[in-house]
Amino acid sequence: MNYRHSFHAGNFADLVKHALVLWLVGQGRPSVVLDTHAGAGLYDLSGDGARSKEAEAGVARLMTAEGRPPLMDALADRVAGFNPQGGVRFYPGSPLLIADALGPGGRYVGFELNPPVRRMLAEALAGRANAEAREGDGYDLAVAEAARARGPLVLIDPPFEKPDDYIRAAETAVAIVRRDPSATVAIWTPLKDLETFDAFIRKLQGRAGPTLVAEARLRPLTNPMKMNGCAMVVVNPPAGAETAAREVCAWVANALGEAGGKAEVWTF
């Protein structure tokens, strides 16, 4: 599955990921947040990069929804801040959301393998002294950087262009928490079919710390050619993570899903 940040910016999966990431950043205010696949940082939903129109079924509906729960409301407030003229032309990615949510002394490091995208990321982060963009393999660089931090929050959010992304995501999480059991690692994955997802979960079971799995399914997992939902898998989740995950996944599944959509939140 090919999942490009620019192509899918502002879709339902971004809402799940970013609402939960904002909540995680707010818990204990980590001193360092590492982002393995940072992307460009800010997306113009009116441009060619958003031609899939997935934002219309995602963030556009979020911004006009009534009765949003607190964590979805918090994300909507952040998005509104990037659109002072109203509407949702611009959607902030994880780098800007995290950098702006960090407490005093907090530091964000975003890794991006693609040089032109890394330059766009640096431009998006300009003026934020607590944030930087680095070029290179985010899996390896995050492990090395995490070894120099204490209790970092690490976001692993690959595009799933390569056949080994599931393996490398799991191995990176295991390497980080084995070196520092106080680290929290959040991994975003698409949900196409249970076989692929279960194989990924098995790579973590018994090798990482306590783990929360938060699934938002828009439809039953019957067509492996479609992204039927997404999941955030959080290793060493902070207290309250299960409640937060249920709030976010339930809203996305119920407000944006089809018949048969549902939220699944569980731990191992």
Side-chain angles (χ1 to χ4, degrees), residues 19-44:
L20 285 175
V21 164
L22 282 174
W23 182 86
L24 287 168
V25 171
Q27 306 310 298
R29 297 289 185 179
S31 59
V32 177
V33 180
L34 307 175
D35 192 352
T36 63
H37 297 75
L42 184 66
Y43 303 96
D44 185 346

Side-chain angles (χ1 to χ4, degrees), residues 1 3 31-32 55 67 91 93 120 124 131 150 162 192-195 208 212 230 248 258 263:
M1 177 164 194
Y3 189 94
S31 59
V32 177
Y91 186 79
M120 288 188 285
R150 178 62 182 168
K162 300 176 181 178
K192 301 185 298 179
D193 62 275
L194 279 177
E195 181 178 356
L212 171 77
C230 71
V248 169
E258 304 171 2

Side-chain angles (χ1 to χ4, degrees), residues 126-183:
R128 292 171 171 82
N130 67 340
E132 62 177 303
R134 295 186 192 172
E135 191 172 313
D137 185 312
Y139 293 118
D140 292 338
L141 293 175
V143 171
E145 186 67 23
R148 293 189 285 269
R150 178 62 182 168
L153 170 62
V154 182
L155 175 61
I156 301 176
D157 178 24
F160 293 96
E161 294 178 319
K162 300 176 181 178
D164 65 346
D165 270 328
Y166 283 101
I167 296 171
R168 295 198 71 194
E171 293 295 338
T172 298
V174 170
I176 289 170
V177 299
R178 282 186 172 176
R179 185 185 294 264
D180 182 359
S182 67

Side-chain angles (χ1 to χ4, degrees), residues 64-250:
T64 58
E66 297 182 355
R68 295 180 301 232
L71 297 187
M72 302 311 301
D73 214 29
L75 175 59
D77 286 346
R78 297 280 182 175
V79 173
F82 286 88
N83 294 277
Q85 305 303 316
V88 283
R89 176 179 176 181
F90 295 104
Y91 186 79
S94 301
L96 298 188
L97 291 170
I98 294 170
D100 291 348
L102 282 170
R107 181 167 63 96
Y108 169 84
V109 183
F111 304 107
E112 176 54 50
L113 185 61
N114 186 306
V117 177
R118 202 280 309 165
R119 288 193 289 272
M120 288 188 285
L121 175 62
E123 292 175 6
L125 292 172
R128 292 171 171 82
N130 67 340
E132 62 177 303
R134 295 186 192 172
E135 191 172 313
D137 185 312
Y139 293 118
D140 292 338
L141 293 175
V143 171
E145 186 67 23
R148 293 189 285 269
R150 178 62 182 168
L153 170 62
V154 182
L155 175 61
I156 301 176
D157 178 24
F160 293 96
E161 294 178 319
K162 300 176 181 178
D164 65 346
D165 270 328
Y166 283 101
I167 296 171
R168 295 198 71 194
E171 293 295 338
T172 298
V174 170
I176 289 170
V177 299
R178 282 186 172 176
R179 185 185 294 264
D180 182 359
S182 67
T184 295
V185 181
I187 311 167
W188 178 90
T189 76
L191 279 177
K192 301 185 298 179
D193 62 275
L194 279 177
E195 181 178 356
T196 300
F197 188 61
D198 285 349
F200 167 71
I201 293 298
R202 287 194 296 272
K203 296 182 187 303
L204 293 173
Q205 287 177 322
R207 304 178 63 210
T211 301
L212 171 77
V213 181
E215 304 178 35
R217 304 184 185 185
L218 295 195
R219 62 189 70 87
L221 308 185
T222 55
N223 183 353
M225 300 305 294
K226 298 180 69 173
M227 186 165 70
N228 298 303
C230 71
M232 284 286 278
V233 179
V234 185
V235 181
N236 288 340
E242 187 169 347
T243 299
R246 290 188 186 282
E247 179 181 310
V248 169
C249 292

